[in-house]
Amino acid sequence: MTAVSLAVGLGACGQSGESGGSGENLRIGLLLPGYGGTTRWEQFDKPLIEEKIKDLCADCTVEYADARLNAATQGQQTEAMIAKGVDVLILASVHAEAIRSSIRDAHAADIPVVAYDHLAEGPISAYVSFDPHAIGELQGKALLEALGDRARDSQIVMMNGDPINPDANAFKKGALSVLEGKVKIGKAYDTPGWEISTAHQNMKNAIATLGADRIDGVYAANDWLASGVISALKAARINPLPPVTGQDALVSAIQRIVTAEQYMTVYKSYADQAAAAVEMALALGRGESLDAIAEDRVSNATTKDIPAVVLPAVAVTRDNIEDTVVKDGMYTIDQICTAEIVAACDAAGLRS
């Protein structure tokens, strides 16, 4: 799957907000999984999607719902939006299979569904995300690079994501495709709910079982898990810390990378993802073709050749913070380099 350009024009009246044209005044349902706390969904995806909708269709409105990681709740929220008669749905599913019946209901009501970030099951009309297998590969390769020549004699711990998450298995498989046969995997855990406390406890268990001096690296599926892993490693007074991976480029993770507590994260352009989702949603709501927007095709268990935008992801280490998350405007150097880590930022060459 390849990345595609997002520089696709939409209908002129939609961009200007002029009324009276076909497909104006669309009601767009936005359903996000909401993993609790301050996550990427509230910090990036929701405001970026809403801002893009306002920019491209001033007369469109958004109906928003946050499932708080509850598949049943998300199903109810989806059904409620169908009952309200929204014109199109942008849906990041909590559970790909559990939401299938609601997607079928949306399809029966002629409401197109754009699957966002997770490839939900059922008759979805479009999909936008990053290749999860490729992300796992990025993480695995970065961990091997951090271990260097000692990789073949190294033992690692795998802190995988939530087993009900549609992409968690793909992250794991991508990482394993790189790591298996190159390092010894001493312990591997799944982490329901992506809970930091669970990752922390599992890492404590791994340290107790394997020994503090026998953990050479940790594959953590995202930055939340990485924070739990690192807190456990520090509590065990392991110094220096072994390389730990992550994902989502949270500012806290970027700061840990600056201070050498975390080795890497994966940066995904949420702005590009949000833009693609909105462009597809507006086109579908207006009954327009997606051919110019979505050049890729994907399939789920029930639907083949779904129009898709599959975006590239980038590994971020201490060496390329400025060329990735800073250059793209995700964070400023001042946001990263708080007073507590200004010396580490200076050492890393990060200066405002």
Side-chain angles (χ1 to χ4, degrees), residues 116 131-132 145 177 188 239 262 333:
Y116 184 86
D131 184 341
E145 288 170 4
S177 73
N239 187 29
Q262 183 170 326
I333 289 179

Side-chain angles (χ1 to χ4, degrees), residues 304-344:
K304 305 299 181 185
D305 297 323
I306 300 161
V309 173
V310 182
L311 297 160
V314 180
V316 178
T317 64
R318 203 164 182 254
D319 295 332
N320 67 342
I321 291 171
E322 198 159 7
D323 293 331
T324 52
V325 295
V326 174
K327 182 180 178 181
D328 283 5
M330 190 173 186
Y331 307 116
T332 65
I333 289 179
D334 286 343
Q335 286 175 314
I336 296 168
C337 296
T338 56
E340 295 81 6
I341 66 166
V342 67

Side-chain angles (χ1 to χ4, degrees), residues 88-91 102-103 106-107 111-115 120 123-127 284:
V88 61
L89 291 169
I90 298 173
L91 167 70
S102 293
I103 292 175
H107 181 73
I111 300 172
V113 176
V114 178
I124 61 175
S125 300
Y127 169 68
L284 289 166

Side-chain angles (χ1 to χ4, degrees), residues 7-327:
V8 179
L10 294 170
C13 60
Q15 294 180 12
S16 66
E18 294 173 8
S19 59
S22 174
E24 292 307 313
N25 303 307
L26 295 176
R27 297 175 67 195
I28 301 169
L30 175 59
L31 295 138
L32 298 180
Y35 290 106
T38 305
T39 65
R40 57 163 284 196
W41 307 105
E42 289 287 340
Q43 187 175 359
F44 296 111
D45 299 270
K46 180 178 182 286
L48 285 167
I49 290 170
E50 291 177 337
E51 181 181 349
K52 195 66 179 180
I53 290 171
K54 184 177 179 180
D55 180 45
L56 297 180
C57 184
D59 293 331
C60 290
T61 57
V62 178
E63 298 277 347
Y64 172 64
D66 180 339
R68 299 295 174 190
L69 199 62
N70 188 302
T73 296
Q74 188 169 68
Q76 294 164 2
Q77 292 169 340
T78 306
E79 296 292 346
M81 289 195 184
I82 295 169
K84 288 180 181 178
V86 298
D87 297 291
V88 61
L89 291 169
I90 298 173
L91 167 70
S93 62
V94 173
H95 193 292
E97 295 180 3
I99 199 66
R100 180 188 297 168
S101 62
S102 293
I103 292 175
R104 284 176 175 161
D105 290 341
H107 181 73
D110 291 325
I111 300 172
V113 176
V114 178
Y116 184 86
D117 207 67
H118 307 148
L119 185 59
E121 295 296 337
I124 61 175
S125 300
Y127 169 68
V128 57
S129 190
F130 304 83
D131 184 341
H133 193 278
I135 288 171
E137 291 176 358
L138 277 178
Q139 295 169 312
K141 288 175 182 176
L143 189 53
L144 288 182
E145 288 170 4
L147 294 170
D149 293 339
R150 59 194 177 94
R152 60 179 169 269
D153 299 318
S154 295
Q155 178 170 246
I156 69 165
V157 173
M158 292 192 72
M159 202 67 63
N160 301 305
D162 187 339
I164 74 165
N165 182 277
D167 292 332
N169 286 333
F171 297 145
K172 177 165 58 177
K173 288 177 181 177
L176 286 172
S177 73
V178 174
L179 296 170
E180 281 186 319
K182 302 290 180 62
V183 294
K184 180 181 178 181
I185 300 170
K187 280 288 185 180
Y189 301 92
D190 288 334
T191 317
W194 301 92
E195 289 289 346
I196 296 173
S197 59
T198 303
H200 178 91
Q201 184 59 52
N202 285 340
M203 195 65 220
K204 283 181 62 177
N205 295 342
I207 294 167
T209 302
L210 302 175
D213 60 344
R214 287 296 295 121
I215 297 172
D216 303 299
V218 182
Y219 166 82
N222 75 358
D223 293 335
W224 285 97
L225 302 188
S227 68
V229 164
I230 291 166
S231 66
L233 292 169
K234 291 169 72 174
R237 301 185 183 279
I238 295 176
N239 187 29
L241 292 172
V244 179
T245 68
Q247 179 185 175
D248 291 334
L250 299 178
V251 68
S252 56
I254 299 297
Q255 291 168 334
R256 288 194 296 270
I257 291 171
V258 170
T259 58
E261 293 182 334
Q262 183 170 326
Y263 179 69
M264 64 83 71
T265 186
V266 176
Y267 166 54
K268 302 175 287 188
S269 175
Y270 301 133
D272 286 351
Q273 186 181 24
V278 171
E279 290 184 1
M280 290 193 291
L282 293 178
L284 289 166
R286 295 168 178 153
E288 298 170 357
S289 170
L290 296 180
D291 289 347
I293 303 172
E295 297 178 1
D296 292 312
R297 294 292 183 273
V298 298
S299 300
N300 61 23
T302 60
T303 310
K304 305 299 181 185
D305 297 323
I306 300 161
V309 173
V310 182
L311 297 160
V314 180
V316 178
T317 64
R318 203 164 182 254
D319 295 332
N320 67 342
I321 291 171
E322 198 159 7
D323 293 331
T324 52
V325 295
V326 174
K327 182 180 178 181

